[in-house]
Amino acid sequence: MVKIHHRTGSIFWIVIGVYVSIGAYRLGLGNFHQPGPGFIFFLAALFLTILSAIDLGSSFIGKPKVAVDKKEKPIWVGVRWQKVLLVLAGLSLYTYLFNYLGFLTATFLLMVFLFKAVEPTKWWISIVGSLTTILISYGIFELWLKVPFPQGFLGF
Amino acid sequence: MEFLHNISLGFSVILSPENLLFCFVGVFIGTLIGVLPGIGPVGAMSLLLPATFKATPVSSIIMLAGIYYGAMYGGSTTSILVNIPGEAASVVTCLDGYQMARQGRAGPALGIAAFGSFIAGTLSVIGLMIVGPPLASIALRFGPPEYFSLMCLGLTILIYLASGSVIRALMMATFGIIIGCVGQDPETGSSRFVFGIPDLLDGIGLAPFVMGLFGISEVLLNIERSLQERSVFTTKIKGLLPNWQDWKDSIMPITRGSVLGFFLGILPGGGAIISSFTSYAIEKKISKHPEKFGKGAIEGVAGPEAANNSATGGAFVPLLTLGIPPNVVMALLLGALMIHGVTPGPLLIPKHPEIFWGVIASMYVGNAMLLVLNLPLIGMWVQVLKVPYKVLFPLILLFCLIGAYSINNSTFDVAVMLFFGVLGYLMRKYNFEGAPMVLAFVLGPMFENSLRQSLLLSDGSFLIFFTRPIAAGGMIATFLMLISCVIPFLRKRREAIPLEETT
């Protein structure tokens, strides 16, 4: 199982390396006398691809180099990856709706969601905690540091 | 005389009310994040990077530096009281610090950690004052090939000392260079890997990149595990002042730790973690009672705590004099200075003496502030330790979101941060390290420029890196280090070194 994860990681970086190499080639490599805009990308991507291939090869030859505490432990088993997805979905939605809803509304909803989504928290704690947090952050960033937050369709 | 003039300039900078406030905020936040497990100095500095954009360059760097050395102080508190290191450099403090706490000597352990850190911090600042200016004047003679080879060497040492596979660390450094160079080509102006997004023309922002890679990914990793409450050492802490015997046992470990930490801090990839482990190993080796180590020996707290604080001062040497960050924290400081239009390097001292000497003076003042913050207010930090993570993580996320947004008042930066948050999370799950990537990201544009300029100078010949003595020295050292990773005997030696894992 550990080897599969090891190989997945290597293959991912091989794909990235090949993709960047092609992109860099299209940008123009120039020559050693006059390096072009794609020169450094091509060199780096080529290096990345070769290293990833060696890393992949090492998983077939010897034991993969993994941290001691993760030895023999499948990385997606026994962890709450669903919670991670939930939080990421909340953060993405917040980013998407931020300008539309405005800072105060969007942030209040996000904070309540974060307080409730990962661990069970009492409603009143979530609401009071969220209100306190957004008021403090509004004071620091909007009033003190003059960060212009969007007001949203509600006007605040 | 000139020295007195310079140091008085530094104190005139730090003693302005604004800079004192920034210094205090920096060391306070540093102590706070040092105390709180789950967020390290890199995460906190990246979080607060956008907040410094409206301040002057010197104020920004004073605050960010304060966070760094403040975290070193704060990290010892959790190591001693909870047996959980607040940040990686305090791991070794757990060994004897927690044992001292269990024996009812939490007070002297915390006290010697704070005093040791103060003494070491001050000694390292003196070292920085002595070593910095002469080194900067030598560096004035460096050209693109020298810089290129020094950057190669710096990256290689960091990779060499990275935890886990060297190949994977190299892969991350390579990818860091790629994403660091995204945006307009500095020579031709053509856009590179911007995918038609105008926001990417100026490149990927340092703050959203690092906030995502360290801040967001750290939170995601923590929430995938059950958020258990930490048990804090509840015995009343009394007698923070170490007694005469404690001082007698500790003064030499503090002195040795300070010197060792300073020099290890200068080395690229060295720094606080390696310094603290090395200091512990040395103290145990030369002690008349090595059997006491691990069972509450005060030398096991004093030496490593002094070493990790001293290393923070040492790390400023290559950054402020050569413009080359030796570790990821210094890479962030480099990024912060460049955002303010200040380029660290040999010209920093003649062009911006107020920054160099102001930062040095701020470290004196900051160390004194930390002593006040860490000893009388220890009860407050113990209370902070009790804040449950389920309350803490939404706040960390919110600060990341607002911080990323406030850079350009754009949700694009927030999206970039989330992207790198997910990437950082997956990287950690699959055992890829973020630190080499960040250092390479920051060095990427300089790396590219110095390579291209060197090739232009040499009419396309790579021999330029081997015909100039300093450049050749750097390149040979780089190759030797890389080769040593594949020689079995040397590889085993490398694996025995305490490994750097910065968060």
Side-chain angles (χ1 to χ4, degrees):
Chain A
M1 189 61 107
V2 174
K3 283 198 172 186
I4 291 170
H5 293 310
H6 184 100
R7 286 169 198 159
T8 313
S10 313
I11 291 167
F12 172 80
W13 291 111
I14 289 176
V15 172
I16 296 286
V18 170
Y19 173 77
V20 177
S21 305
I22 296 167
Y25 181 76
R26 286 185 184 150
L27 279 169
L29 303 182
N31 52 47
F32 290 139
H33 302 268
Q34 185 78 47
F39 182 76
I40 190 81
F41 285 97
F42 188 77
L43 274 187
L46 195 68
F47 201 46
L48 176 62
T49 313
I50 294 168
L51 289 168
S52 308
I54 295 171
D55 190 52
L56 180 66
S58 74
S59 73
F60 290 99
I61 298 165
K63 278 167 93 177
K65 294 222 176 296
V66 291
V68 176
D69 63 332
K70 293 189 179 167
K71 228 174 229 177
E72 310 299 335
K73 200 170 134 192
I75 52 180
W76 298 110
V77 176
V79 294
R80 307 184 304 170
W81 56 268
Q82 300 89 338
K83 299 276 183 189
V84 174
L85 278 184
L86 199 63
V87 169
L88 279 174
L91 293 174
S92 306
L93 199 64
Y94 172 80
T95 311
Y96 185 69
L97 295 175
F98 187 70
N99 285 319
Y100 179 69
L101 289 178
F103 171 74
L104 292 177
T105 313
T107 307
F108 175 73
L109 293 174
L110 175 77
M111 292 308 286
V112 173
F113 169 76
L114 290 176
F115 277 124
K116 295 289 294 177
V118 175
E119 293 289 322
T121 311
K122 286 176 184 159
W123 272 106
W124 72 268
I125 294 177
S126 306
I127 290 170
V128 171
S130 305
L131 278 173
T132 315
T133 311
I134 58 165
L135 286 176
I136 292 171
S137 53
Y138 186 81
I140 293 173
F141 288 94
E142 170 95 33
L143 302 178
W144 184 37
L145 295 172
K146 309 283 180 212
V147 176
F149 287 127
Q151 294 200 324
F153 76 101
L154 293 170
F156 59 85
Chain B
M1 205 62 195
E2 193 189 345
F3 168 78
L4 282 178
H5 168 74
N6 287 330
I7 203 72
S8 64
L9 168 72
F11 275 101
S12 70
V13 171
I14 182 59
L15 292 177
S16 76
E18 186 194 358
N19 287 336
L20 274 177
L21 178 70
F22 272 95
C23 186
F24 178 76
V25 171
V27 295
F28 184 86
I29 293 172
T31 310
L32 182 70
I33 58 115
V35 168
L36 290 172
I39 180 164
V42 179
M45 285 168 71
S46 54
L47 233 77
L48 286 157
L49 195 57
T52 66
F53 289 172
K54 291 193 170 66
T56 61
V58 70
S59 303
S60 311
I61 209 82
I62 282 172
M63 188 176 99
L64 293 171
I67 294 174
Y68 182 35
Y69 56 80
M72 299 297 140
Y73 265 73
S76 58
T77 307
T78 46
S79 296
I80 292 165
L81 296 180
V82 206
N83 204 23
I84 297 172
E87 40 75 46
S90 301
V91 169
V92 78
T93 309
C94 290
L95 300 175
D96 284 284
Y98 186 65
Q99 289 304 322
M100 283 181 75
R102 288 183 58 155
Q103 293 159 16
R105 288 180 33 87
L110 289 163
I112 206 71
F115 282 116
S117 300
F118 176 75
I119 296 167
T122 309
L123 287 177
S124 79
V125 168
I126 294 169
L128 176 59
M129 282 184 337
I130 295 168
V131 176
L135 192 62
S137 60
I138 295 169
L140 277 171
R141 283 176 250 154
F142 290 3
E146 282 78 19
Y147 272 102
F148 180 78
S149 78
L150 283 176
M151 279 187 270
C152 283
L153 182 62
L155 271 173
T156 309
I157 299 179
L158 185 81
I159 287 159
Y160 184 82
L161 295 173
S163 61
S165 159
V166 170
I167 289 185
R168 290 190 155 204
L170 262 173
M171 285 161 62
M172 291 305 94
T174 315
F175 186 65
I177 291 174
I178 292 172
I179 51 173
C181 293
V182 164
Q184 273 188 325
D185 179 34
E187 285 183 23
T188 63
S190 55
S191 52
R192 307 182 297 178
F193 292 97
V194 297
F195 306 104
I197 303 166
D199 299 81
L200 279 179
L201 280 173
D202 287 336
I204 294 166
L206 174 69
F209 169 66
V210 185
M211 277 196 277
L213 211 59
F214 289 105
I216 300 283
S217 71
E218 185 70 39
V219 171
L220 296 179
L221 270 181
N222 282 327
I223 59 178
E224 75 168 19
R225 294 186 287 261
S226 190
L227 306 180
Q228 287 165 346
E229 305 284 324
R230 294 182 291 270
S231 60
V232 180
F233 201 77
T234 48
T235 308
K236 195 167 186 283
I237 300 160
K238 53 190 176 185
L240 284 167
L241 292 178
N243 60 32
W244 174 241
Q245 186 59 43
D246 290 336
W247 275 112
K248 217 172 126 189
D249 292 339
S250 305
I251 195 68
M252 285 318 287
I254 288 172
T255 313
R256 281 189 290 267
S258 304
V259 176
L260 178 82
F262 180 74
F263 287 105
L264 284 177
I266 294 176
L267 292 178
I273 303 170
I274 293 167
S275 311
S276 58
F277 274 91
T278 312
S279 166
Y280 189 84
I282 288 174
E283 292 311 325
K284 192 174 176 183
K285 190 118 186 159
I286 63 174
S287 170
K288 287 176 188 159
H289 306 285
E291 71 283 356
K292 284 187 182 170
F293 278 73
K295 293 171 189 160
I298 199 161
E299 301 96 309
V301 178
E305 280 299 316
N308 75 32
N309 273 272
S310 187
T312 61
F316 276 94
V317 174
L319 175 75
L320 295 179
T321 58
L322 302 175
I324 298 176
N327 58 41
V328 68
V329 176
M330 291 297 132
L332 263 179
L333 286 179
L334 173 80
L337 280 170
M338 289 177 79
I339 286 166
H340 284 281
V342 177
T343 310
L347 291 174
L348 180 83
I349 301 176
K351 274 190 176 173
H352 301 280
E354 78 287 356
I355 293 182
F356 184 82
W357 295 105
V359 170
I360 285 179
S362 81
M363 287 163 80
Y364 278 121
V365 177
N367 276 309
M369 283 179 179
L370 280 167
L371 206 56
V372 176
L373 274 174
N374 276 266
L375 290 183
L377 300 181
I378 193 72
M380 185 181 83
W381 301 119
V382 172
Q383 291 304 314
V384 169
L385 268 170
K386 293 176 183 169
V387 176
Y389 196 73
K390 66 178 179 181
V391 174
L392 206 60
F393 90 87
L395 304 180
I396 297 173
L397 285 178
L398 181 65
F399 271 90
C400 285
L401 292 166
I402 298 177
Y405 177 81
S406 64
I407 301 164
N408 293 313
N409 304 324
S410 156
T411 48
F412 178 76
D413 286 324
V414 181
V416 168
M417 181 189 69
L418 291 180
F419 173 81
F420 283 107
V422 176
L423 183 70
Y425 169 70
L426 292 173
M427 276 169 54
R428 292 203 202 185
K429 297 284 286 180
Y430 286 88
N431 294 306
F432 289 99
E433 269 191 78
M437 190 196 278
V438 174
L439 191 61
F441 174 86
V442 175
L443 291 178
M446 287 190 272
F447 192 82
E448 183 187 16
N449 282 341
S450 57
L451 176 63
R452 285 168 86 166
Q453 284 170 3
S454 302
L455 289 175
L456 280 170
L457 278 173
S458 67
D459 206 20
S461 169
F462 279 89
L463 280 176
I464 194 170
F465 300 116
F466 298 95
T467 50
R468 296 162 69 132
I470 295 171
M475 293 310 282
I476 290 167
T478 303
F479 285 123
L480 287 177
M481 201 154 276
L482 287 174
I483 290 166
S484 75
C485 295
V486 289
I487 297 171
F489 165 72
L490 291 170
R491 197 172 60 195
K492 276 184 189 153
R493 293 288 294 253
R494 172 190 163 266
E495 281 161 5
I497 300 171
L499 301 167
E500 189 94 24
E501 200 162 19
T502 316
T503 51

